Amino acid sequence: MSRKLAERVASLKPSATVEMTERVRAARLSGRKIIPLSSGDPNIETDPRIIVAAERAMRAGDTHYGPAQGLPALREAIVRREALRSGVNYDPADVIVTPGGKFALLTALMGIVEAGDEVLVPEPGWVSYGPCVRLCGGTPLALSMLDHIDEELLESRVSARTKALVLNSPVNPTGRVFSAQEIAHIVGFAERHDLWIVFDQVYSDLLHEGIFPAAQAAPGAQERVLVVDSLSKTFGMTGWRLGYLALPKGTAKTILKFIQHSIYCVPGFIQSAAIEALSLYDELVPGYRRMFRHRLDHATERLSAVDGIACRRPQASFYLFPSVAADDVEVARHWLENIDVATLPGSSFGSAGAGHIRMSLTCSETDLDEALDRISRVGLAA
Ligand code: PMP
Ligand code: GLU
């Protein structure tokens, strides 16, 4: 075919997380059950009251276009949530509701990245950061930050073309939470080089110990931090596609044009569900958190007993990122092909993740136990 598809999409690497989920789904349809420790999609049923709120809104006629920026009541609820969690006060005018955190990320990058700009992205880091930078015409540059932030490395990666830095805490895939001191260093670095910071905090409600230092809460940082957040992980609402941006004062009106010309708005009834979810936060989220913590503790203990696996329970999230004394791609393939357990090689999250396996503890506890039994039985080698 002589007509070519645009390089913009043709050159993208497929999403390793999404592809693995599709593979598990296809296997299930053909009658083969693979235990999914691969996708960050919690096995939480959306609370029925949240579903009722969506239904009520639809029946009441909220089936039209709505405000592009999001329902004022939802933006107010988001502002209250953000003030409680990070202590930072936003005006609802600085919040944009998006279809999921992934689109919030793309929207933020659309708002700041020009063709030819460089954006620093964390490694190991979530698989969509680099591709979203590329979709905006920018070039992602990997910053290795597995267990510490190397100041010299930061400085060596920056150039006149560097426009922004993506920072994610708690980290997908490791569950690590950056300390207040680390956040202060990064904010200081961004100030010295006048960079935007895109701060992805979608796992911040799943904190199992300590405190959660938010980039936007560092002194003077709010004006350069674009906060990406989502209800997906917190409430078991991945399929609802509900996320948001909390933006530096005065930037939302301009960035909103991208929403106007693309999705126009998030469906109003989905936003009504989100308002209900946020109102149920204290009732629902502590229980979800305890459930994930229990799974992390249990799996950490069992994996630590397997030859060649070293595992530590992370401070947050539902991910484990054990190191394996073998090639991570081979280990993931061995488990998928020989014991029907789907995980992701750490190197899918960038070369700094090599030698690790990402396990998402989001299946049922019975399936998790079965997967751990199988892994304990076969170990690392095929
Ligand atoms: N950021 C990170 C680090 C993630 O792991 C995810 C998971 N999908 C997202 C953002 C976006 O999530 P969603 O689009 O479901 O809100
Ligand atoms: N973020 C989740 C994961 O890392 C879901 C898939 C995706 O959006 O990449 O598994």
Side-chain angles (χ1 to χ4, degrees), residues 287-305:
Y288 299 151
R289 212 182 279 134
R290 272 195 301 278
M291 176 181 79
F292 291 127
R293 183 182 169 140
H294 168 76
R295 289 182 193 174
L296 288 168
D297 283 339
H298 175 65
T300 300
E301 198 182 309
R302 293 211 49 197
L303 289 167
S304 301

Side-chain angles (χ1 to χ4, degrees), residues 15 17-18 38-41 102 126-128 172 203 233 319 344 349 358:
S15 162
T17 51
V18 174
S38 43
S39 175
D41 188 353
K102 201 176 301 206
W126 182 41
V127 295
S128 290
N172 177 4
Y203 295 98
K233 318 290 173 171
Y319 297 119
L344 284 162
F349 299 85
R358 192 194 78 166

